[in-house]
Amino acid sequence: MPVHGASAADTVGSGQPVRSCESLTALRFPDGTTVTSVSQTTTTPVICNVELLVPQNVHMRVSLPVGTWNGRFQGVGGGGFNGSVPDTESAAKTGYAAAGSDSGHTADSSDASWAWSPTGMNASLINDFLSRALHETTVKGKAVTQAFYGKSPTYSYWNGCSNGGREGLQEAQVQPRDYDGILAGAPAIQADRFLPAAMWPQVVMHELEDFVPSCKFDAVNKAVTAACDSRDGVTDGVIADPRTCRFNPTSLVGTVTPCGTITAKDAAVVKKIWDGPRRPDGRRLWYGILPGASFARLAATANGDGVPTPLASGWFTYWLAKDPSFDWHRLTMANFSHYFDRSRQEWGPVVGTDDPDLSAFRAAGGKLLLWHGLADQLIPSQGTTSYYEQVTAAMGGRAKTEQFARLFTAPGVGHCRGGSGAAPADPLAAALVKWVEHGKAPTTLRAESGSMSRPLCRWPAVARYDGHGSTNDAANFRCSGRQ
């Protein structure tokens, strides 16, 4: 997710350093953290990049704007299983002192194998990934910031999506004083549930012996969008509220597509993917993707076989089976619940990151801004809305919760970005900073997609066209439903 923030001109402190970038090589830390390299860009604005190694394995970077610091610190989240330092320069170019880490290991973000070894799971690496690297990067990042500018940040913000969103919630739950404001998009909380559930579409297709080609899925999404698009008062290619979209894919049986005619078996596959994984007795295990979300991420096929997302296949191989030779084709709709239960029992307390008690974060004065795309093709948004309802119950009801934590949903937006809908337009500067520093709680988030703009409503409300003016202008939409 691209990182944005308040402009450099919108400052809350002096932007001038009190020492040279090169001098930061002399920094010393009691825990043995070392500065491994320092470099200064030739761009405008000039950025001082400080690379550090936190014992034992956490590689991190702090990017410091030279002369244009806005007085704020930003922690930058990673994605997937992380494994590399995220882009911190983009945040620095907008005035923030910004820090991010590889979360304690080096790997592709979709690679789950680092957590496993022939002698057992790598507990220290898992702890770094889930929590320790976040707090250490925050503490060290603020220390480097203080050393460079001669003062501590006036305000600190977290900005992340997917695993970066989970990281923000981890900080709110466990280190509630690290950040004044947390922006968490499509948070990868409940990983012990959504990761095994991400394999369900492949299990369904394998068991029904029907690896549906992509153009049939495209035809389904075109049809379901046409059926449910206009319910918000405008036909714009976006399903505003997929929760209320009642479309039976069986109605498409016989439809001719470039890759064949849609069959009853194809329709059955779609139904089960939308419905999500269930036990053999019909009890729900987790959520499916919502109607309108792309099937390409979780239900990819090639050469008559399934192509699971590496995040899901790696979870089964290294975290559940703990066997590099594990073949996902062994999974059936009958034994799926066994693996799902194992995932919840063994890893729920470790990776769940879904403690609804945010009382310490609230007491510290923190503000939490959550958002999730309703066409998320990897992490179903229902997990986030369910978590928010749990937070609401734990924090004394909606009115009390919305004093410090608000959830917004983005119709038609995929995982962190993409899709046919409008995504939040710089919500850090446009909403969170104003909430934290000026007490202006956001009632909507402005979202944009090309020339189209929309208001994103507080859950569970939905934006509807008021019947007047351009349908591309957010000003002509109103949030309908409980806000």
Side-chain angles (χ1 to χ4, degrees):
M1 175 179 175
V3 177
H4 305 286
S7 68
D10 180 17
T11 61
V12 290
S14 170
Q16 300 301 319
V18 297
R19 60 193 294 174
S20 70
C21 181
E22 184 179 355
S23 73
L24 294 175
T25 58
L27 291 180
R28 298 292 182 268
F29 297 87
D31 66 352
T33 294
T34 58
V35 176
T36 57
S37 72
V38 171
S39 62
Q40 190 162 292
T41 68
T42 57
T43 59
T44 302
V46 177
I47 306 298
C48 172
N49 287 313
V50 184
E51 307 278 346
L52 302 97
L53 175 62
V54 181
Q56 296 292 324
N57 302 294
V58 179
H59 295 84
M60 61 170 287
R61 180 191 310 116
V62 187
S63 293
L64 306 160
V66 178
T68 57
W69 185 42
N70 61 19
R72 303 179 179 94
F73 175 82
Q74 183 179 144
V76 181
F81 288 110
N82 213 358
S84 62
V85 179
D87 171 25
T88 52
E89 281 196 19
S90 292
K93 288 176 181 177
T94 61
Y96 288 86
S101 83
D102 64 358
S103 70
H105 64 274
T106 301
D108 183 86
S109 63
S110 63
D111 181 5
S113 65
W114 55 268
W116 174 88
S117 77
T119 58
M121 299 300 287
N122 290 315
S124 63
L125 294 184
I126 292 171
N127 182 56
D128 281 349
F129 166 66
L130 293 171
S131 60
R132 179 177 170 269
L134 305 177
H135 182 58
E136 288 292 341
T137 299
T138 301
V139 171
K140 301 303 190 298
K142 290 181 180 180
V144 172
T145 300
Q146 196 280 333
F148 191 55
Y149 300 110
K151 60 173 291 187
S152 298
T154 305
Y155 295 100
S156 296
Y157 296 91
W158 179 267
N159 189 357
C161 192
S162 192
N163 184 52
R166 182 204 66 81
E167 291 171 332
L169 285 170
Q170 171 74 16
E171 284 289 280
Q173 293 166 22
V174 180
Q175 302 291 347
R177 295 187 176 276
D178 275 0
Y179 291 94
D180 301 293
I182 292 173
L183 175 62
I189 57 175
Q190 307 144 332
D192 56 302
R193 282 148 280 176
F194 87 77
L195 280 173
M199 185 66 85
W200 178 251
Q202 298 293 339
V203 175
V204 168
M205 291 190 293
H206 183 240
E207 183 145 330
L208 295 184
E209 298 181 335
D210 184 27
F211 288 103
V212 180
S214 62
C215 79
K216 289 187 177 182
F217 283 133
D218 293 342
V220 170
N221 270 343
K222 183 178 179 180
V224 71
T225 301
C228 299
D229 180 358
S230 62
R231 297 182 181 183
D232 59 348
V234 61
T235 300
D236 55 3
V238 177
I239 301 174
D241 190 1
R243 298 169 300 166
T244 63
C245 180
R246 301 290 181 261
F247 178 82
N248 188 346
T250 302
S251 65
L252 297 177
V253 172
T255 300
V256 177
T257 76
C259 50
T261 301
I262 293 177
T263 67
K265 192 176 288 188
D266 297 334
V269 166
V270 171
K271 283 183 179 180
K272 287 186 177 295
I273 290 175
W274 280 345
D275 185 50
R278 290 183 180 270
R279 297 185 184 278
D281 63 7
R283 287 179 293 159
R284 178 177 301 284
L285 290 169
W286 199 242
Y287 309 101
I289 59 174
L290 287 168
S294 171
F295 292 88
R297 188 75 178 267
L298 302 187
T301 62
N303 303 316
D305 197 1
V307 184
T309 172
L311 294 171
S313 58
W315 183 258
F316 275 88
T317 299
Y318 297 104
W319 294 65
L320 298 184
K322 302 179 178 65
D323 177 4
S325 67
F326 178 79
D327 180 1
W328 71 268
H329 295 89
R330 303 178 198 170
L331 297 170
T332 67
M333 287 190 280
N335 69 20
F336 186 86
S337 60
H338 166 74
Y339 286 94
F340 191 92
D341 289 342
R342 181 190 300 179
S343 183
R344 290 208 65 174
Q345 292 162 8
E346 183 173 3
W347 296 111
V350 182
V351 305
T353 324
D354 57 351
D355 183 352
D357 183 359
L358 301 180
S359 54
F361 182 68
R362 177 173 62 185
K367 299 292 186 284
L368 171 64
L369 197 161
L370 290 157
W371 76 273
H372 207 132
L374 295 181
D376 195 314
Q377 70 277 40
L378 177 63
I379 303 176
S381 60
Q382 304 95 302
T384 297
T385 56
S386 173
Y387 171 69
Y388 187 72
E389 293 295 344
Q390 293 170 38
V391 171
T392 298
M395 294 294 97
R398 189 168 300 273
K400 290 183 178 180
T401 300
E402 288 200 333
Q403 292 175 8
F404 79 100
R406 297 191 172 194
L407 167 63
F408 298 81
T409 51
V413 176
H415 187 58
C416 294
R417 64 180 71 84
S420 57
D426 199 3
L428 184 61
L432 188 56
V433 168
K434 292 179 181 178
W435 193 7
V436 168
E437 299 177 21
H438 305 293
K440 292 183 60 177
T443 55
T444 61
L445 296 183
R446 180 177 174 84
E448 299 173 352
S449 177
S451 62
M452 178 179 73
S453 64
R454 290 284 186 274
L456 301 187
C457 303
R458 303 201 309 275
W459 168 261
V462 178
R464 300 188 186 280
Y465 179 52
D466 64 13
H468 304 284
S470 171
T471 58
N472 282 331
D473 190 344
N476 300 321
F477 287 77
R478 300 290 179 268
C479 291
S480 173
R482 185 162 57 95
Q483 275 222 101

